[in-house]
Amino acid sequence: MENVVLKVSGMSCGHCVSSVQKAVEEAGASGKVDLASGQVEVSYDSAKVSLEQIREAIEEQGYDIL
C-alpha cells in the first residue's frame, strides 16, 4: 500500500469533503479528508490504481491538487 497526502484547493464545506471522499473511493483508494487543512490522506494499491488516476478523479469533481 502506498500512502500520500494531497493538498486540495477549493474545499469549503462538508459537501466538498463528501465529494472528494467519494472521488477517492470511486478511483479505488481510501482517504481521509481534512477540511481545515485542505488535505486528503490517501492509501492505495499502486498495482490497482495510480496516483494520477486518483488526482484526476478529484479534479473531475472541480477541485485542484496543489
Side-chain angles (χ1 to χ4, degrees):
M1 291 296 278
E2 304 285 331
N3 296 300
V4 67
V5 175
L6 301 175
K7 182 77 173 169
V8 181
S9 171
M11 293 192 303
S12 61
C13 65
H15 181 269
C16 298
V17 170
S18 295
S19 294
V20 171
Q21 182 75 41
K22 185 176 179 183
V24 169
E25 291 172 359
E26 287 181 352
S30 63
K32 179 181 176 191
V33 182
D34 185 346
L35 179 60
S37 68
Q39 296 180 335
V40 57
E41 296 176 37
V42 180
S43 296
Y44 64 101
D45 182 345
S46 59
K48 296 180 180 177
V49 64
S50 71
L51 181 55
E52 186 59 30
Q53 289 172 304
I54 296 166
R55 292 172 58 98
E56 288 175 4
I58 294 170
E59 289 174 345
E60 285 176 3
Q61 295 300 311
Y63 304 98
D64 294 318
I65 307 296
L66 304 177

